Amino acid sequence: MIPMGHTIFNLTRVFTKYYDCETRSIFVRCNTVFHWLIRFDSSLLRTKWFTTKRTSVRWSPMVKAELLKIPEKKLPCQILIVAIGPAASGFVQSHLLTDDFQVVGALFSGLSDSDVNTFDQMSPADKNCYIYRSRQIPDVFMCLCKTDVSAEQSYSWTEQLFSCISTASPHFYMSILCSYMTSEYRSEVPVSDMNPPFLRALKTPRFAGTPLCPYLEQPNLVSGLPAQLLTYCQMKDVKAVLYVCYTDTLYLDTFTMEVFKPLVQSTPIKDVFQENKKAGEVMKHIVDIYSLKNSLYL
């Protein structure tokens, strides 16, 4: 393991070099969160409180048998797409997740007695995040995380995701999709003059391409699981890009999910995209599910 002092220095230095002062402010926060979680993990790993908060991963019998034949105990991967939140997950589910993909694993962020979980991702409150793999191209993976992952679980969640997925391939690309409220967006332009939803992007220096939307401006911050995943990719020196959707609505709608649609022309999403004629129907069904949940609180 790289010493944390060295890690923080390298991450800040590299991102400052490529993003100037704008990304320095973003990544300093990511480093702080990551450093705290490393110390948190090592000091409370065996306590009852932490074990109830720690994310766990379960792999299918097929994957378990496959891992036994691999010396590194990790599945080869060239493309990994992670969707965080209902809007990003809805886009991936309707436009990218074809019948070619099958469930090979699941991440569980911990359940309490009051949590509702269908274990088939049909409830907006489901805390299980399924990992999918393409049947035709086995080194293509997708992970859908429809609910928020708490800050204290972000490190564990990321650690478990990559516990059996390799980033060693020189052709490895990762795309992270997430969404935030416009109330968290900082800009000299008044919110009333904005046209949400809109996209902003961040990328690691190894990602040589240009994102299909503007970079996230100063002094905006990315935190939580998206920041943790990008931090991990920076530490591993792999190609990764983060797309953030800023929306002004609390309720999921097709317009918010469609803001991700231009990304079907981006790397690496364009390499797995196949036109889905029923995408509109799938999005409407997803919106109906969330509308039913929202109506319970009216």
Side-chain angles (χ1 to χ4, degrees), residues 247-278:
T247 178
D248 60 348
T249 177
L250 293 172
Y251 305 113
L252 182 65
D253 55 34
T254 57
F255 190 55
T256 303
M257 287 186 280
E258 283 286 355
V259 78
F260 290 104
K261 185 66 180 295
L263 301 185
V264 299
Q265 301 297 325
S266 68
T267 303
I269 296 178
K270 65 181 182 181
D271 297 323
V272 300
F273 173 70
Q274 297 180 10
E275 188 69 31
N276 182 10
K277 296 181 179 180
K278 296 183 178 181

Side-chain angles (χ1 to χ4, degrees), residues 124-141:
D126 279 347
K127 288 190 175 180
N128 51 304
C129 306
Y130 283 157
I131 303 171
Y132 299 84
R133 182 168 68 168
S134 171
R135 293 183 175 91
Q136 296 182 358
I137 312 175
D139 54 4
V140 175
F141 292 81

Side-chain angles (χ1 to χ4, degrees), residues 11 16 18 49 159 185 212 226:
L11 294 177
T16 300
Y18 282 82
W49 184 89
E159 181 186 55
Y185 183 73
L212 294 186

Side-chain angles (χ1 to χ4, degrees), residues 198-215:
F198 55 87
L199 290 174
R200 291 294 184 267
L202 289 173
K203 69 183 183 72
T204 61
R206 286 280 292 171
F207 191 94
T210 301
L212 294 186
C213 68
Y215 287 107

Side-chain angles (χ1 to χ4, degrees), residues 30 32 72 89 92 112 115 129 179 211 214 233 270 280:
C30 295
T32 303
E72 298 80 9
S89 296
V92 171
S112 64
D115 286 327
C129 306
S179 59
C233 292
K270 65 181 182 181

Side-chain angles (χ1 to χ4, degrees), residues 102-171:
Q102 61 179 336
V103 177
V104 294
L107 289 155
F108 299 90
S109 298
L111 298 173
S112 64
D113 294 336
S114 60
D115 286 327
V116 177
N117 204 313
T118 64
F119 293 100
D120 58 5
Q121 290 197 322
M122 292 303 294
S123 167
D126 279 347
K127 288 190 175 180
N128 51 304
C129 306
Y130 283 157
I131 303 171
Y132 299 84
R133 182 168 68 168
S134 171
R135 293 183 175 91
Q136 296 182 358
I137 312 175
D139 54 4
V140 175
F141 292 81
M142 295 186 191
C143 181
L144 271 62
C145 184
K146 296 185 177 182
T147 57
D148 292 333
V149 176
S150 62
E152 64 266 21
Q153 288 181 320
S154 295
Y155 171 72
S156 177
W157 197 98
T158 303
E159 181 186 55
Q160 292 300 316
L161 174 64
F162 289 103
S163 62
C164 294
I165 295 180
S166 174
T167 62
S169 171
H171 304 293

